[in-house]
Amino acid sequence: MANLVTNVAAAVEEHGGTTAIGFRGEETSYDEFWAQTGAFATALDERGIGEDDRIALYLPNVPPFLIAFHGTLRAGGVVVPMNPQYKSREISHLLGDSEARVVVTLSDLVPFVTAVQDETSVEHVVSIDGEAEGATTFEAFLERGAPDIVDRAGDDVAVQPYTSGTTGQPKGVQLTHENLASNATAAAKLVPDGIRPDDKQLGVLPLFHIYGMTVTMNAALFNGAAYYPMAEWDAQDAVSLVEREELTVFHGVPAMYNDVINQPNADEFDFSSVRLCGVGGSGIPTEVLRQFEDRYEPKVYEGYGLTETSPITHFNSPIDGRRVGSIGKTVPGVDSKVVDDEFEDVSPVEEGPVDEDETDLTEITGEIVVSGPNVMKGYYGLPEANEEAFTEAAGTTWFHTGDVGYHDEDGFFYVVDREKHMIVTGGYNVYPREVEELLFEHEAVADAAVAGIPDDRRGETVKAFVVPTPDADVTADELREYCLTNLAEYKHPREIEFVEELPRTTTGKVQKFKLREREETAEAETN
C-alpha cells in the first residue's frame, strides 16, 4: 500500500504512547492522534466523500490541521492546503479549480468561504474553534470510527497545493503519495542519524506551505518524533518553546533567523538542545547566518526547493558538507544539472562560490533543472503549463525550476537569480501581476507596476509605482489599506511611490529593471 498515511500508522504501531503533537502546553500521543484521524476519515465517509475528493484546509498551524490532513489521506482523499491569510478573492479560484467538497477553517474565516461558496463545489464548511453561520463545528462533524486506510497507488495525488506562475494565476500542483513520501524520507536524513523518536521538531513554518508540511510535519511524524506547531511566528515565543521543551530540530525562513538575532535579549537565548537548524524559502544573507552562529551552538544549513518538487532538491547538511553561499548538494534520489537555452549541460566551476563581481556569470550560469521521485505529477488541468515545465532528454524527465544558477566540481549548487519578476519576501513568493491587477481596479490608478526592492529583514519587500488618474485624490496609505483588504498581508505593497509615468519598451512592456536600478541608486545615495 502506497498511501502516504501508512507511514504515520507505522509510527503509531511502534510509538503509540509517546507524544506526537505538543501544542500550547498540551500533548497528544500517537494513539490519541490516530483515533482523531479515524474520526475525521469516518466523518468524510459517512457524508459520501472519499477517493480523490478534495478537502481544503484553510488553517494556520493548529492540531486540527494535522488531524484533517491525515484523516483525509486515510479516507483516500486529496488535501488542498490554503493560506489562512487569503481573503475571498484569493480562495475563490482555489476552491473552484480544485472542486473541493469540504473546507476546514477558523470561525473568523468562515465568511470568506461562504461569500464564494455558491460559485464552488463546497458542500460542507467546518469551523474548528466554535460556531459560525454557515458552518458545522469540528466536534459535530467528527464521527466515531476506526476505518481502514484506503489503498492508494504511488502515483495517485495526495496533496494539491497552489502556486502562482509568472502570470500570477494560481496553479494546482499535483503531488503524489510517492512524491511526498520520498521527500519526507530525504528530509529526515539531513539530520545526523536521521530524525529519531526522541527528536522534537519546531513547527513554525506554515503547514499550508510545502516546506512546513514535508520537512517539519511529515518528517517528524513518519519517524515517531514529536511535532510542536505554532499558529504564528513570534521570535520570543518560538525561542521560549525551544528552551522550555528542549526542541532538537529548527527549520525556518531567513526572516525568522534575522528576527531572532535582533531581539533585545538575543544574547540570552539558549539553543543548546538544537542539533540541526535548517533554512529555506529564499537565500539567507551571509551576515545573518554569521551573527546567528556567533551567538549560538548549532550551525545553520541552507537548502532549496519548490512546491513542485515536494519541496527539497538541494540542501547543505552535516553529513554531505556545507558551503556558505550555496544551496547545497542534491538530496538522496534527486538529480540536478545546469543547462543553457538549448538544454545543453553547463560545465561546473572548480569551486564556488565565485566572486560575482569578478566573474562573467553568463559563462557559468544557466537554468537549474531537476529530476527525481519528488517531482510533481503535473499541474492540475493545465496541459500547456505542463509542456513548458518539463523536458525529456536521454530518457529522463527534467523539471524546469525557472531559477538561474551554477554548480561546482564538488557538487554544490548556487542560485544567482530567482524567476524573472517574482518577489521573495520573508520566504513567501509574491507575483507582481496579481498586485498590479488589483491596483488597476482602483478608480484612482491609471497605471501601476510592482517590483521587489531590498529589505534588511525580509530579503525583499513589495513596492508599487503608481501613476494616478488626472483628478485623483488618493494617498499611499489609502492604496495600502485597499490592498490589505483584498490580499494576504505579505503581498501588499509596503511602499507606494506616485510617478508621472512608467519606463516602457517600444512595445509597451514596463522595464522593471529600471525601477529596481532607480531604487538601488537612491539607496546608495542615502547611505
Side-chain angles (χ1 to χ4, degrees):
M1 180 183 291
N3 192 319
L4 185 67
V5 83
T6 57
N7 294 279
V8 177
V12 172
E13 186 71 23
E14 191 170 352
H15 309 288
T18 63
T19 299
I21 304 168
F23 185 70
R24 295 176 179 171
E26 295 186 10
E27 295 185 343
T28 302
S29 72
Y30 272 90
D31 283 336
E32 292 168 334
F33 173 58
W34 191 243
Q36 292 166 339
T37 69
F40 191 85
T42 301
L44 295 178
D45 182 63
E46 293 197 1
R47 290 167 174 81
I49 299 166
E51 291 187 34
D52 292 322
D53 285 327
R54 267 61 174 173
I55 312 301
L57 305 187
Y58 185 27
L59 291 168
N61 292 13
V62 290
F65 186 109
L66 284 77
I67 295 166
F69 181 95
H70 294 93
T72 296
L73 296 179
R74 192 167 170 176
V78 177
V79 175
V80 179
M82 301 197 308
N83 188 338
Q85 297 182 65
Y86 282 177
K87 312 286 196 311
S88 293
R89 177 190 181 95
E90 296 157 303
I91 67 171
S92 60
H93 172 71
L94 276 62
L95 293 175
D97 184 69
S98 67
E99 299 181 284
R101 296 179 62 187
V102 179
V103 179
V104 184
T105 189
L106 299 172
S107 58
D108 287 347
L109 300 182
V110 168
F112 293 131
V113 180
T114 55
V116 298
Q117 187 170 357
D118 290 345
E119 306 162 17
T120 70
S121 301
V122 174
E123 301 167 19
H124 305 279
V125 182
V126 182
S127 168
I128 69 163
D129 60 340
E131 296 182 356
E133 186 176 352
T136 303
T137 65
F138 197 61
E139 292 75 13
F141 184 78
L142 298 177
E143 301 286 351
R144 284 184 175 275
D148 292 336
I149 299 171
V150 173
D151 193 12
R152 304 297 284 158
D155 64 350
D156 284 336
V157 178
V159 179
Q160 187 170 307
Y162 277 75
T163 184
S164 294
T166 53
T167 62
Q169 177 72 299
K171 299 192 291 288
V173 177
Q174 298 179 98
L175 298 178
T176 68
H177 291 268
E178 181 186 11
N179 289 158
L180 294 166
S182 68
N183 212 238
T185 299
K189 291 179 179 178
L190 297 172
V191 186
D193 302 322
I195 296 289
R196 305 185 305 238
D198 62 343
D199 274 316
K200 298 179 178 181
Q201 175 103 265
L202 178 68
V204 71
L205 289 168
L207 288 173
F208 64 80
H209 192 283
I210 193 66
Y211 187 10
M213 184 191 304
T214 297
V215 181
T216 64
M217 179 182 71
N218 285 344
L221 296 181
F222 290 3
N223 291 281
Y227 176 74
Y228 288 77
M230 289 183 65
E232 59 185 4
W233 167 252
D234 179 274
Q236 293 286 343
D237 290 346
V239 176
S240 293
L241 182 59
V242 169
E243 294 173 340
R244 183 174 64 252
E245 299 294 344
E246 297 185 326
L247 303 190
T248 59
V249 183
F250 182 119
H251 281 278
V253 296
M256 294 175 180
Y257 287 93
N258 194 43
D259 282 352
V260 168
I261 63 175
N262 283 296
Q263 295 301 304
N265 57 335
D267 290 337
E268 301 171 11
F269 293 159
D270 181 8
F271 281 85
S272 60
S273 65
V274 177
R275 64 194 193 98
L276 183 119
C277 283
V279 63
S282 61
I284 186 169
T286 302
E287 181 62 19
V288 173
L289 183 146
R290 184 192 66 76
Q291 288 191 37
F292 186 91
E293 293 185 351
D294 282 350
R295 281 189 171 96
Y296 314 117
E297 292 184 29
K299 290 186 179 298
V300 179
Y301 294 88
E302 183 173 357
Y304 169 86
L306 306 97
T307 302
E308 293 91 336
T309 56
S310 303
I312 57 171
T313 59
H314 303 72
F315 229 97
N316 289 277
S317 77
I319 300 165
D320 292 326
R322 181 181 80 153
R323 192 156 288 172
V324 174
S326 84
I327 57 172
K329 299 179 181 180
T330 54
V331 299
V334 174
D335 290 324
S336 182
K337 61 182 181 177
V338 179
V339 298
D340 62 19
D341 292 341
E342 303 300 321
F343 211 80
E344 296 294 328
D345 291 1
V346 176
S347 299
V349 300
E350 183 176 352
E351 183 177 327
V354 300
D355 184 336
E356 295 185 10
D357 293 329
E358 301 294 330
T359 305
D360 183 357
L361 292 178
T362 61
E363 295 292 326
I364 65 170
T365 61
E367 184 184 12
I368 297 173
V369 295
V370 297
S371 177
N374 58 319
V375 176
M376 69 170 180
K377 188 173 186 176
Y379 295 116
Y380 183 61
L382 296 171
E384 291 183 3
N386 288 328
E387 188 173 342
E388 293 177 3
F390 297 100
T391 292
E392 293 278 348
T396 300
T397 301
W398 296 94
F399 174 73
H400 291 265
T401 69
D403 287 336
V404 176
Y406 63 95
H407 57 150
D408 66 25
E409 292 178 355
D410 294 323
F412 289 93
F413 283 71
Y414 307 81
V415 173
V416 299
D417 196 10
R418 294 282 173 178
E419 288 180 293
K420 189 173 182 181
H421 294 311
M422 185 177 72
I423 302 166
V424 182
T425 178
Y428 291 110
N429 294 346
V430 179
Y431 287 86
R433 183 169 175 178
E434 181 182 16
V435 186
E436 290 164 357
E437 288 179 347
L438 177 63
L439 286 168
F440 276 117
E441 293 178 18
H442 195 286
E443 60 182 9
V445 175
D447 202 358
V450 170
I453 62 172
D455 182 273
D456 290 340
R457 178 174 177 268
R458 300 176 183 86
E460 287 183 296
T461 195
V462 181
K463 178 168 182 176
F465 298 85
V466 174
V467 179
T469 56
D471 299 321
D473 182 19
V474 66
T475 66
D477 285 343
E478 288 171 345
L479 285 181
R480 269 193 295 272
E481 186 60 33
Y482 165 72
C483 291
L484 271 172
T485 302
N486 290 283
L487 295 172
E489 191 272 341
Y490 69 85
K491 294 181 183 178
H492 90 284
R494 295 177 182 274
E495 293 188 33
I496 294 178
E497 180 179 344
F498 292 107
V499 296
E500 292 185 2
E501 62 179 4
L502 298 173
R504 293 182 180 274
T505 65
T506 54
T507 58
K509 293 182 179 180
V510 176
Q511 296 174 303
K512 292 190 176 181
F513 71 93
K514 288 190 175 181
L515 296 175
R516 286 190 288 267
E517 285 176 354
R518 191 171 73 179
E519 283 296 311
E520 291 169 0
T521 300
E523 184 179 11
E525 290 175 352
T526 58
N527 291 336

